[in-house]
């Protein structure tokens, strides 16, 4: 019986709030209720929430104060009146007039009552909040329970909201509240509007309506729910595919930058640099050094460290590459297999130097303000700026590499030596110098890959091995001598990895990529875009 | 005539080296039998013999046929995992103690299909058979499409990497990250018994000796000469009517089986097998042993493996951080100064350097 | 007389470059055929296709009027009796001279193998070098060694790609004598060479290739007089 009465009261309170403007709270009664045990407290909270949209500004401010005090436990429930304590003195809980502090404890907030009081405070703050920030925080608190709140709350709040952006948001949340409107037409309209913004949350919200009594009784409502769910499901599937492709694209971008250098060097000199993964790692560490230098010297530029690091990273890692070529690789020119071992030794050296010199922990990178977040495109597909940076960066690198190979004397020399070293040497191309420059170019590109992955992946001394074998696969698959082959192979390996991963796991993805490459080599042994020629 | 003498001398030097290493192995076996060495020493000898056998296996394909595998840890691991399953089966059968792997894999007992491996002959045949089959399929696919040289090396590297990722997963069913350990008995004797240590070390040394002699005989025969011909100029050899695919496949599978044997002998001696033997680094290291000892001479591979690992054992105890630097330095020095490995050290005189360069083992023609 | 090698409508492409363009020619047993032409005319490519190293895009090559070579593997072609010396001297440098020739004998050398090898070494004058490593030989000796490797199996079709490139006059002389001695009714010899005088001395007929097609076929003397040949080959 008591339960039923309380429920009735609650409904009454909700009903009273609707459509009756500026109904003043009975402050004294509410304050007393709040102090009269768990049942009274939940009734008080319900009354406050229900009346929030019709309360006067003063009442709203009072409601916010009272609920805040309940949550902060700065209220004292006396025998007669209750008071709220604050650094500036005690005030009466109902009138907010100065009063002597009451004797008594703050009411205990049960697990059930706490969210009710929090909702009441958020509802009051949505109207009485001093700043847009306060009101936005309140809106976020209400968002989770929007479906159980009176729609007027949001309509009225939106109408009074001076901030245009926040107004939009309030209306959006209001749609969820409308789902519970007694007017079926309004509910159906709300379903349609929610379905138009597909997300996992929207799906759960609408799916919950399937257990609503109206679903069984009213065909139009049921149809709207089903159509809404179908539409959301469709868009979620689209956005999940988009998310996967997007992640694959960013992975492929890094792979491309790591592999293009390998492919150029392999085409030119027939050697594979096993230290390429460590050059990626060096690129990331140089980026970190630039970041730390800026932090110390020019904190104002810290936000742009990723851009400022580009030339530094390229030049430093290219210099390391040139040094490696001049001291080691060129002396092993007739023994490409020994080059594999020698460059592996170099990679061992680099990893351990970094480990001893810098440490083994992951480096902490600042996320520049312009890379934080992203844009929600459709469903839950967010174009995150950090991955977009890697993709755009790889695109720019591709164009730049293409330009170097096709439009500069160095590129002409590289192409000439790749095709016929002896002939190029005969007509005066300084083949050894070309080797060195190309090695530098390839190494610098690996360094840039390291820069591009800083905002996405972990950076530590071992990171190189995560990329290097995939980069090899890109070179094997793409063949040598053409940029197009590397691009297509990087996209292929990157996308296959990311596509298979959610289905069968990362390991299966790697296994399948390897099997595909071995299978692929059965009919195209020279890779995708090999330049065939006769035996020299 | 002088030149003639010189090349005969070079051959004779190789022969002498093989004989010397074989005698040293026989002497080691005798010392292991007679005793006087601590269990730790005997165990170390056994482990070194296994690594030497692994290096010997790689030298067959790299030194003679010019095919560099950077994934030979795969075959070593096949031998190791098969003998690991065998040892677990035996341990359960004889002691009834439930091994740890049953617990952390969430099993009730060892998988039923491991049962036959309780018999050692079955395990031996299985290790050799599986490594042969894997080598045959992968080798056939690669050699048929004429994948060679650097391409082949990096594809084998990817192969062992993928195998490592697979074995790290618990779902693969071989103990995942933890691998297999806690062997109680080997060949009916408690595994801590010094006789087991001794027996395993002796077996390892003798298998190595047999493999050295057998492979040397094979390599100085017609098969070995054809392998060298494949390395020097494969197209030329094909155009003389030889199916180089078959030649390469034969030596590749032989090498894989030898590597599996090495793994099979190694695991009981260290008492554990886990996916770390599949790390690409270990597989590259095998090639490094061969390069350091001098490839294409069998004896060099053994000397290299023993030398490098002896230094590694010594340093791991005292200065583990130093080891990667020492190893890297060794590789670079060998690559730059001793193209034929440390065996060149003896004859490293400026007058001979140019000749050594001229005749240094070349990589296979692409 | 049977045709040893019959080439019909052969086309070979490397990417967009057409190395052989609908080429047809016939070489008889007992004949020494010189194949000449400027660089890039397709001479070596022709040998590549006959020996199975390169694949044709169209056309066919018949050996002995029965065996289709464009579908056979290099080893099958070699075993059937079609052998070829490469342009760049290709010997097994880490093996002895004797081993090199013995390998040339094929997978089943037979009981008289060592004797054949010894005779062959005598023929090319390498007996005294038999136990040296092939990698230590001089350029000319390598050329002869490779000829010995392909000839020792007594091929029915012998292809020599630039056998005298880089040789001294005296060595060229000896090579010419060797080729003449190898000539037999049961064998067709195809020689690709830039040295016109050498080709004239050893060959019965010459085929002049130009841009992957036959420009001229006939005796060397007439080739020298042919206006078209003079035009493209002598570069006027």
């Amino acid at each position: 019986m008591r339960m039923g009465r309380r429920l009735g009261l609650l409904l009454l309170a909700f009903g009273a709030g609707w459509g009756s403007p500026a109904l003043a709270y009975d402050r004294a009664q509410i304050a007393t209720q709040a102090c009269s045990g768990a049942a009274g407290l939940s009734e008080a909270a319900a009354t406050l929430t229900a009346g929030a949209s019709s309360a006067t500004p003063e009442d709203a401010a009072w409601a916010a104060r009272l609920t805040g005090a309940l949550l902060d436990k700065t209220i004292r429930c006396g025998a007669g009146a209750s008071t709220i304590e604050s650094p500036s003195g005690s005030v009466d809980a109902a009138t907010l007039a100065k009063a002597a502090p009451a004797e008594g404890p703050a009411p205990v907030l049960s697990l059930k009552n706490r969210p009710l009081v929090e909702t009441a405070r958020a509802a009051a703050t949505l109207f009485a909040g001093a700043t847009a920030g306060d009101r936005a925080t309140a809106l976020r608190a209400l968002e989770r329970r929007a479906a159980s709140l009176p729609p007027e709350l949001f309509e009225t709040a939106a109408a009074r909201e001076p901030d245009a952006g926040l107004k939009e948001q309030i209306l959006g949340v209001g749609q969820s509240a409308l789902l519970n409107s007694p007017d079926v037409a309004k509910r159906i309209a709300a379903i349609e509007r929610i379905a138009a913004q597909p997300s996992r949350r929207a799906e759960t919200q609408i799916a919950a309506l399937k257990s609503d009594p109206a679903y069984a009784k009213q065909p139009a409502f049921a149809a709207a729910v089903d159509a809404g769910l179908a539409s959301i499901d469709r868009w979620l599937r689209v956005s999940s595919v988009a998310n996967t492709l997007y992640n694959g694209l960013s992975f492929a971008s890094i792979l491309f930058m790591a592999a293009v250098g390998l492919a150029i060097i392999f085409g030119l000199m027939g050697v594979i640099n096993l230290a390429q993964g460590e050059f990626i790692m060096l690129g990331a560490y140089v980026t970190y050094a630039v970041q730390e230098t800026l932090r110390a010297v020019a904190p104002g530029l810290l936000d742009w460290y990723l851009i400022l690091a580009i030339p530094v990273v390229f030049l430093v890692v290219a210099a390391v590459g040139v040094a490696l070529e001049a001291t080691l690789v060129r002396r092993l020119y007739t023994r490409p297999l020994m080059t594999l071992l020698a460059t592996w030794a170099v990679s061992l050296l680099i990893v351990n130097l970094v480990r001893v010199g810098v440490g083994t922990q992951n480096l902490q990178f600042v996320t520049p303000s312009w890379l934080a977040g992203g844009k929600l495109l459709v469903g839950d597909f967010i174009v995150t700026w950090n991955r977009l940076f890697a993709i755009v960066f790889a695109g720019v690198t591709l164009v730049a590499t293409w330009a170097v190979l096709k439009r500069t004397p160095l590129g002409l020399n590289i192409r000439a030596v790749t095709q016929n070293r002896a002939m190029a040497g005969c007509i005066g191309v300084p083949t050894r110098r070309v080797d060195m420059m190309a090695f530098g170019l390839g190494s610098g590109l690996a360094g840039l890959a390291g820069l591009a992955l800083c905002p996405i992946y972990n950076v530590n001394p071992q990171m190189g091995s995560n990329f290097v074998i995939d980069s090899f696969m890109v070179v094997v698959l793409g063949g040598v001598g053409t940029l197009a082959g590397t691009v297509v192979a990087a996209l292929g390996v990157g996308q296959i990895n990311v596509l298979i991963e959610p289905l069968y796991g990362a390991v299966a993805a790697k296994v399948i990529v390897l099997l595909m490459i071995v299978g692929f080599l059965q009919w195209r042994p020279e890779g995708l875009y090999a330049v065939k020629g006769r035996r020299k | 005539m002088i030149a003639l003498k010189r090349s005969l001398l070079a051959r004779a030097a190789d022969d002498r080296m093989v004989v010397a290493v074989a005698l040293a192995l026989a002497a080691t076996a005798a010392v292991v039998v007679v005793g006087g060495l601590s269990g730790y020493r005997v165990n170390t000898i056994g482990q070194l013999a296994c690594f030497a056998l692994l290096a010997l296996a790689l030298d067959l394909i790299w030194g003679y046929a010019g095919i560099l595998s950077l994934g030979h840890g795969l075959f070593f691991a096949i031998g190791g995992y098969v003998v690991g399953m065998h040892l677990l089966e035996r341990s359960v059968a004889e002691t009834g103690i439930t091994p740890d792997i049953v617990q952390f894999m969430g099993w009730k007992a060892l998988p039923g299909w491991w049962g036959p491996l309780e018999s050692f002959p079955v395990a031996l045949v299985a290790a050799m058979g599986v490594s042969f089959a894997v080598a045959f399929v992968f080798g056939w696919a690669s050699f048929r499409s004429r994948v060679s040289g650097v391409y082949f090396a990096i594809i084998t590297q990817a192969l062992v990497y993928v195998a490592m990722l697979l074995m790290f997963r618990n779902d693969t069913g071989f103990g995942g990250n933890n691998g297999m350990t806690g062997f109680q008995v080997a060949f009916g004797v408690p595994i801590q018994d010094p006789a087991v240590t001794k027996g395993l070390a002796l077996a390892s040394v003798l298998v190595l000796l047999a493999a050295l002699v057998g492979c040397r005989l094979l390599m100085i025969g017609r098969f070995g000469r054809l392998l060298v011909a494949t390395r020097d100029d494969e197209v030329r050899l094909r155009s003389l009517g030889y199916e180089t695919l078959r030649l390469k496949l034969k030596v590749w599978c032989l090498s894989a089986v030898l590597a599996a044997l090495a793994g099979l002998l190694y695991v009981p001696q260290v008492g554990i097998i886990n996916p770390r033997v599949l790390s690409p680094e270990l597989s590259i290291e095998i090639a490094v042993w061969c390069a350091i000892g001098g490839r294409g001479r069998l004896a060099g591979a053994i000397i290299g493996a023993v030398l490098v690992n002896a230094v590694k054992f010594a340093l791991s105890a005292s200065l583990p951080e130093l080891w990667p630097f020492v190893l890297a330095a060794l590789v670079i020095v060998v690559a730059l100064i001793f193209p034929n490995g440390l065996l060149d050290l003896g004859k490293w005189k400026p007058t001979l350097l140019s000749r050594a360069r001229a005749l240094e083992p070349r990589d296979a023609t692409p | 007389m049977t045709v040893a090698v019959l080439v019909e409508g052969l086309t070979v492409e490397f990417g967009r470059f057409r190395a052989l363009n609908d080429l047809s020619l016939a070489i008889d047993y007992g004949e020494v055929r010189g194949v000449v032409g400027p660089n890039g005319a397709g001479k070596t490519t022709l040998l590549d296709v006959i020996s199975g190293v390169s694949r044709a895009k169209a056309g066919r090559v018949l050996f002995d009027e029965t065996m289709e070579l464009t579908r056979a593997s290099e080893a099958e072609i070699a075993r059937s009796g079609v052998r070829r010396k490469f342009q760049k001297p290709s010997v097994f440098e880490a093996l002895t001279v004797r081993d090199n020739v013995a390998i040339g004998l094929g997978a089943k050398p037979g009981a008289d193998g060592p004797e054949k090898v010894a005779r062959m070494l005598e023929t090319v004058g390498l007996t005294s070098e038999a136990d040296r490593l092939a990698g230590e030989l001089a350029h000319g000796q390598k050329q002869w060694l490779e000829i010995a490797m392909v000839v020792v199996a007594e091929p029915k079709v012998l292809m020599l790609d630039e056998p005298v490139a880089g040789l001294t006059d005296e060595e060229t002389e000896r090579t010419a004598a060797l080729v003449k001695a190898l000539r037999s009714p049961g064998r067709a010899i195809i020689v690709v060479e830039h040295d016109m005088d050498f080709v004239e001395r050893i060959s019965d007929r010459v085929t002049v290739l130009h841009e992957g097609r036959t420009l001229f076929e006939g005796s060397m003397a007439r080739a020298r007089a042919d206006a078209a040949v003079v035009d493209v080959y002598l570069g006027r």
Side-chain angles (χ1 to χ4, degrees):
Chain A
M1 274 314 285
R2 272 184 68 91
M3 274 301 271
R5 197 163 61 92
R6 200 182 310 149
L7 205 71
L9 253 172
L10 215 113
L11 282 176
L12 200 74
F14 270 87
W18 289 333
S20 43
L23 185 91
Y25 288 128
D26 185 346
R27 291 192 188 185
Q29 193 200 343
I30 293 172
T32 314
Q33 265 183 336
C35 275
S36 63
L41 183 56
S42 64
E43 270 172 32
T47 312
L48 286 175
T49 308
S53 60
S54 52
T56 60
E58 298 77 42
D59 275 353
W62 165 78
R65 183 85 189 264
L66 178 70
T67 46
L70 281 165
L71 289 166
D72 300 343
K73 299 203 178 301
T74 51
I75 189 167
R76 288 196 178 172
C77 293
S82 315
T83 54
I84 297 172
E85 308 302 315
S86 74
S88 55
S90 305
V91 291
D92 184 88
T95 61
L96 296 186
K98 279 202 188 297
E103 292 296 319
V108 176
L109 284 181
S110 66
L111 274 180
K112 189 171 132 278
N113 276 344
R114 175 171 282 277
L116 292 180
V117 177
E118 276 172 351
T119 306
R121 177 171 67 166
T125 313
L126 191 60
F127 293 92
T131 67
D134 290 344
R135 296 194 296 276
T137 313
L139 181 66
R140 269 196 295 281
L142 291 175
E143 197 173 5
R144 272 170 284 147
R145 304 184 191 111
S148 62
L149 294 170
E152 273 80 4
L153 181 67
F154 298 103
E155 279 171 12
T156 318
R160 290 194 200 155
E161 179 56 54
D163 183 309
L166 192 54
K167 187 176 194 147
E168 274 302 302
Q169 291 180 34
I170 295 174
L171 280 176
V173 175
Q175 295 304 330
S176 310
L178 273 175
L179 285 179
N180 287 343
S181 160
D183 182 347
V184 172
K186 276 190 181 173
R187 298 183 83 174
I188 291 176
I191 290 171
E192 279 164 4
R193 260 169 299 194
I194 288 175
Q197 304 284 320
S199 71
R200 292 268 162 230
R201 226 171 55 82
E203 191 182 28
T204 343
Q205 259 182 357
I206 298 185
L209 295 179
K210 281 195 160 187
S211 52
D212 193 285
Y215 187 75
K217 286 183 201 147
Q218 289 168 312
F221 180 75
V225 169
D226 291 342
L229 279 178
S231 151
I232 289 176
D233 188 53
R234 201 163 48 240
W235 281 110
L236 280 185
R237 255 184 280 156
V238 168
S239 68
S240 128
V241 169
N243 259 326
T244 308
L245 289 179
Y246 185 62
N247 287 351
L249 193 59
S250 67
F251 183 54
S253 302
I254 307 279
L255 274 188
F256 165 75
M257 281 189 278
V260 70
L262 277 177
I264 292 173
I265 295 168
F266 187 50
L268 188 70
M269 309 165 72
V271 301
I272 285 278
N273 175 16
L274 280 189
Q276 191 82 350
E278 279 58 44
F279 284 179
I280 298 176
M281 184 261 284
L282 278 185
Y285 272 75
V286 173
T287 310
Y288 181 74
V290 169
Q291 172 195 295
E292 292 306 298
T293 312
L294 285 179
R295 194 200 295 277
V297 178
L301 291 172
L302 187 57
D303 216 27
W304 300 101
Y305 76 94
L306 276 176
I307 305 295
L308 295 172
I310 292 173
V312 184
V313 167
F314 183 83
L315 290 177
V316 170
V317 182
V320 175
V322 167
L324 174 63
E325 201 279 335
T327 54
L328 210 56
V329 174
R330 84 166 33 173
R331 286 161 209 264
L332 302 173
Y333 175 59
T334 54
R335 296 182 294 157
L337 296 181
M338 196 50 112
T339 314
L340 282 177
L341 296 192
T343 52
W344 173 74
V346 170
S347 79
L348 196 64
L349 209 59
I350 295 176
V351 169
N352 283 285
L353 281 176
V354 171
R355 195 181 284 180
V356 171
V358 188
T360 53
Q361 71 286 0
N362 285 338
L363 293 188
Q364 298 301 317
F365 283 93
V366 178
T367 306
S369 56
W370 49 278
L371 271 192
K375 171 122 182 77
L376 183 77
L377 276 194
V378 60
D380 47 12
F381 171 46
I382 300 173
V383 174
T384 49
W385 300 141
N386 57 355
R387 287 183 187 271
L388 190 66
F389 172 73
I391 294 167
V392 170
F393 194 57
V396 174
T397 308
L398 169 62
V399 173
T401 312
W402 182 85
V404 166
L405 288 180
K406 298 280 176 182
R407 293 274 183 271
T408 65
L410 172 66
L412 181 65
N413 282 344
I414 289 178
R415 283 181 293 141
V417 178
T418 300
Q419 279 183 17
N420 191 331
R421 173 171 292 266
M423 190 60 79
C426 286
I427 59 168
V429 176
T431 54
R432 285 305 159 91
R433 224 181 111 74
V434 171
D435 287 348
M436 196 167 78
M437 301 291 283
F439 213 93
L441 175 67
S443 309
L445 289 172
L448 292 185
L451 181 147
L453 61 75
C454 283
I456 311 178
Y457 300 101
N458 283 341
V459 172
N460 56 47
Q462 284 83 34
M463 64 184 283
S465 57
N466 295 337
F467 293 92
V468 73
I469 289 186
D470 282 314
S471 314
F472 292 163
M473 294 299 98
V474 169
V475 175
V476 171
L477 193 59
V480 294
T482 63
L483 270 177
T486 312
V487 172
V488 173
L491 285 174
V493 172
Q495 292 292 7
I496 291 169
N497 259 305
V498 176
L499 278 177
I500 297 173
E501 223 176 278
L503 297 178
Y504 306 106
V507 173
K510 298 260 187 278
V511 174
I512 290 172
V513 167
L514 178 72
L515 290 181
M516 282 175 57
I517 286 172
V518 172
F520 171 82
L521 288 174
Q522 297 300 305
W523 64 278
R524 290 294 286 265
E526 287 95 8
L528 277 171
Y529 290 85
V531 187
K532 282 186 187 164
R534 74 169 198 223
R535 188 175 190 242
K536 289 190 188 90
Chain B
M1 273 320 276
I2 296 164
L4 165 70
K5 264 187 198 153
R6 257 203 255 146
S7 45
L8 284 179
L9 276 178
R11 272 202 169 183
D14 274 6
D15 282 336
R16 274 203 305 277
M17 189 66 70
V18 170
V19 170
V21 169
L23 287 177
L25 288 175
T28 311
V31 169
V32 167
V33 172
V34 172
L37 292 181
S38 68
Y40 173 77
R41 278 282 153 74
V42 171
N43 185 259
T44 307
I45 289 175
Q47 287 188 40
L48 288 178
C50 294
F51 289 142
L53 183 57
L54 188 53
L56 184 81
L58 188 72
D59 197 30
L60 282 185
I61 51 162
W62 188 25
Y64 287 88
I67 304 162
L68 175 58
S69 159
L70 293 182
H72 247 44
L74 175 64
F75 305 115
F76 188 73
I78 289 176
Y81 270 101
V82 170
V83 82
M85 294 191 273
H86 161 73
L87 290 173
L88 287 176
E89 283 289 339
R90 295 292 300 175
S91 300
V92 171
E94 289 182 33
T95 66
I97 299 172
T98 311
D100 292 345
I101 187 172
V102 171
Q103 277 158 17
F104 59 67
M105 293 296 287
W107 293 334
K108 290 191 179 65
L110 295 177
W113 66 271
W114 291 16
L117 292 172
E118 194 189 326
S119 140
F120 182 72
V122 172
L124 183 66
V125 170
M128 291 165 60
V130 172
S131 54
F132 179 87
V134 171
F136 186 87
V137 171
F138 182 78
W140 184 81
S142 304
F143 300 144
R144 198 192 72 95
S145 53
R146 307 223 168 134
V147 174
S148 62
V150 174
Y151 261 50
F152 186 81
I154 60 177
I155 290 179
T156 50
Q157 170 101 120
L159 182 70
V160 77
Y161 176 67
V162 162
M164 177 180 74
L165 295 181
L166 264 180
M167 294 309 263
F168 262 125
R169 282 165 55 97
N170 277 342
D171 299 350
T172 315
F174 297 96
N177 184 23
N178 297 292
M180 298 171 190
T181 186
F183 312 129
Q184 305 293 332
V185 291
F187 310 103
V189 185
I191 204 152
Q192 284 87 6
D193 193 311
V196 172
T197 315
K198 213 180 224 188
L200 285 169
L202 184 65
S204 305
V205 174
L206 290 181
V207 169
L208 174 62
L209 178 60
L212 172 66
V213 173
C215 290
R216 180 66 189 177
L217 290 178
L218 196 60
M219 289 303 115
I220 56 177
R222 187 178 166 77
F223 182 63
R225 288 202 291 270
L226 287 176
L227 287 183
V228 171
T230 310
R231 179 190 79 195
D232 279 357
D233 200 332
E234 189 176 346
V235 179
R236 171 73 275 176
L237 192 62
R238 270 204 296 270
S239 297
L240 288 173
Y242 293 88
E243 301 288 356
T244 53
L245 168 63
R246 260 184 237 163
L247 280 169
K248 288 160 86 173
L249 207 48
K250 274 182 202 163
V251 73
W252 171 248
C253 291
L254 172 65
S255 171
V257 169
L258 282 179
L261 271 181
L264 185 133
L265 287 163
Y266 175 77
V267 166
Q269 303 190 54
V270 291
I272 183 166
I273 172 79
N274 63 34
R276 268 165 281 278
V277 299
L278 287 163
S279 82
E281 284 74 28
L282 176 79
S283 288
I284 296 181
E285 253 187 63
I286 306 168
V288 165
W289 304 336
C290 288
I292 286 177
R295 60 202 170 96
R297 280 179 289 190
L298 300 180
I302 293 177
I303 293 173
V306 170
L307 213 66
V308 174
N309 283 294
V311 177
K312 186 180 186 175
F313 285 163
L315 276 183
S316 304
S318 49
L319 285 165
E321 295 83 13
L322 199 60
W323 170 241
F325 295 99
V326 172
L327 182 62
L330 260 177
V331 176
I332 291 169
V333 166
V334 164
L336 288 182
I337 304 175
F338 305 111
N340 295 316
L342 290 183
L343 285 188
D344 273 353
L345 208 52
K347 49 180 173 178
W348 187 53
K349 294 175 200 139
T351 46
L352 276 178
L353 188 61
S354 55
R355 194 186 125 77
R357 281 266 163 80
L359 279 179
E360 72 196 36
R362 287 193 320 167
D363 293 327
T365 45
Chain C
M1 195 163 51
T2 9
V3 179
V5 177
L6 181 66
V7 175
E8 282 182 346
L10 199 61
T11 300
V12 176
E13 289 181 351
F14 299 124
R16 267 168 291 175
F17 173 66
R18 206 162 245 223
L20 290 181
N21 192 356
D22 196 21
L23 177 74
S24 296
L25 64 100
I27 297 158
D28 298 325
Y29 279 118
E31 179 186 9
V32 176
R33 170 72 60 93
V35 177
V36 297
N39 279 326
K43 307 182 295 287
T44 296
T45 304
L46 174 62
L47 298 197
D48 279 349
V49 176
I50 297 175
S51 58
V53 174
S54 290
R55 292 282 158 212
K57 186 168 182 281
R60 58 179 195 154
V61 178
L62 271 189
F63 162 59
D64 215 16
E65 293 185 353
T66 50
M67 185 178 173
E68 163 68 299
L69 297 186
T70 52
R71 268 180 241 125
S73 78
E74 292 142 287
E76 283 165 358
I77 293 170
R79 284 200 298 270
S80 68
V82 178
R83 300 241 165 162
R84 176 247 185 116
K85 186 199 101 54
F86 287 99
Q87 183 173 346
K88 181 183 147 206
S90 302
V91 296
F92 308 119
E93 305 210 331
L95 295 177
T96 63
V97 170
R98 192 193 307 280
D99 285 343
N100 266 276
V101 180
I103 283 176
L105 214 42
K108 295 183 184 69
D112 58 345
E115 195 191 323
K116 277 187 188 167
V117 170
R119 265 210 312 274
M120 194 68 233
L121 286 172
E122 192 65 51
T123 313
V124 293
L126 287 173
T127 306
S128 61
E129 317 289 338
D131 291 310
R132 279 180 72 180
L133 295 183
E136 297 176 329
L137 294 183
H139 175 78
Q141 290 174 313
K142 281 185 187 169
Q143 292 272 33
W144 283 327
L145 174 57
E146 199 187 351
I147 292 175
M149 284 160 67
V150 291
V151 167
V152 71
E154 292 163 14
K156 289 186 184 163
V157 173
L158 174 62
M159 296 180 278
L160 303 172
D161 199 347
E162 304 200 6
V164 297
L167 297 195
T168 62
D169 286 351
E170 192 224 330
E171 287 170 332
T172 304
E173 197 71 26
R174 286 178 58 187
T175 309
L178 179 62
V179 174
K180 280 182 180 163
L182 289 172
R183 180 181 177 156
S184 90
R187 175 179 294 154
I189 302 179
I190 307 171
V191 180
V192 165
E193 188 49 72
H194 278 293
D195 183 335
M196 284 298 164
D197 298 327
F198 177 79
V199 174
E200 180 155 32
R201 278 173 44 206
I202 57 159
S203 44
D204 304 300
R205 279 191 292 174
V206 294
T207 296
V208 183
L209 294 186
H210 178 55
E211 290 175 351
R213 292 171 187 272
T214 308
L215 187 70
F216 172 87
E217 198 169 293
S219 74
M220 192 67 192
R222 280 181 49 207
R224 285 186 195 274
D226 189 277
V229 174
V230 169
D231 224 29
V232 304
Y233 197 75
L234 303 179
R236 285 203 197 132

